[in-house]
Structure formats: C-alpha cells, structure tokens
Amino acid sequence: MEIINQNSVVREDRNVLVIAHLSQYLDYITGFGGLIVPLVLWLSLKEKVIGMDEHGKSIINFQLSLILYVIIGIPGILLFGLGIILLVLTGILSLVMPVVNAVRASNGEAPSYFGTIRFIS
C-alpha cells in the first residue's frame, strides 16, 4: 500500500523491517554492525516506510541497552560474580529478541524488546 504525502511516497514494506531486526546479528560477525546498520536503515527510511520509525527506535534503544548492560556487567564480575549473570542474560537477550521481533514485524505487530531502556522516545 502506498500513501502519497507531500511529494513523498510512504510505503508498507515489512521485509525491510524484518531485515532491520535481523541486522542486529552483524554484531556476531563484525563486532559493531549490529548498531550501525539498523541506525542507518532507520535514519534513511523512517519517513519512507510505514512503521520504520517505531521499529528503528526500538532496535536502537535495545542495542544501547545491551551496550550499557555489558559495561555494567564487566566490572560487576568483581562483585561476587554477579556480573557474570548479567552478561549471560544479556547474551541470551541479544540472541532471542531480534528473532522474536522480526517475526512480530513480519506479522505487522509493534516491536517489544524485553529489558530495554528508552533512550530515544
């Protein structure tokens, strides 16, 4: 479906939303692509694809939250090993949540990332 809005075409493209969610796995390949690629997709397509603004903000908030959890978890290892628990939970979240939200995006539902701090609203 296309909506013409002030000389720009807004389209519904769920495949781009799914790719944005799954691009977070680039962290495991490159080490840094899981934040940069969704950020570029969000900034370039937020006004052209329906739902990209909401999904992009959720992805960026989730990635920033994961970075913060790792930064807190590493020195937390010295505090009775509690940082190890935080790092394990962060790893599980970073593996599971992008797939869950990619499926939600393909079904046309809103994203929902567990444990996300809202940096961008």
Side-chain angles (χ1 to χ4, degrees), residues 59-110:
I59 294 168
I60 301 305
N61 284 330
F62 180 65
Q63 286 294 312
L64 292 175
S65 298
L66 289 178
I67 291 169
L68 181 66
Y69 295 152
V70 169
I71 290 172
I72 292 172
I74 290 172
I77 293 172
L78 300 175
L79 183 64
F80 304 115
L82 295 177
I84 293 173
I85 296 170
L86 182 62
L87 291 175
V88 167
L89 291 176
T90 302
I92 292 170
L93 280 177
S94 68
L95 284 173
V96 173
M97 295 310 292
V99 171
V100 169
N101 284 291
V103 171
R104 291 176 64 98
S106 69
N107 292 334
E109 300 173 14

Side-chain angles (χ1 to χ4, degrees), residues 2 9 23 26 36-37 39 47 61 95 104 113 118-119:
E2 292 185 5
V9 176
S23 67
L26 288 173
I36 294 172
V37 172
L39 180 64
E47 296 171 356
N61 284 330
L95 284 173
R104 291 176 64 98
Y113 281 99
R118 302 292 260 173
F119 295 104

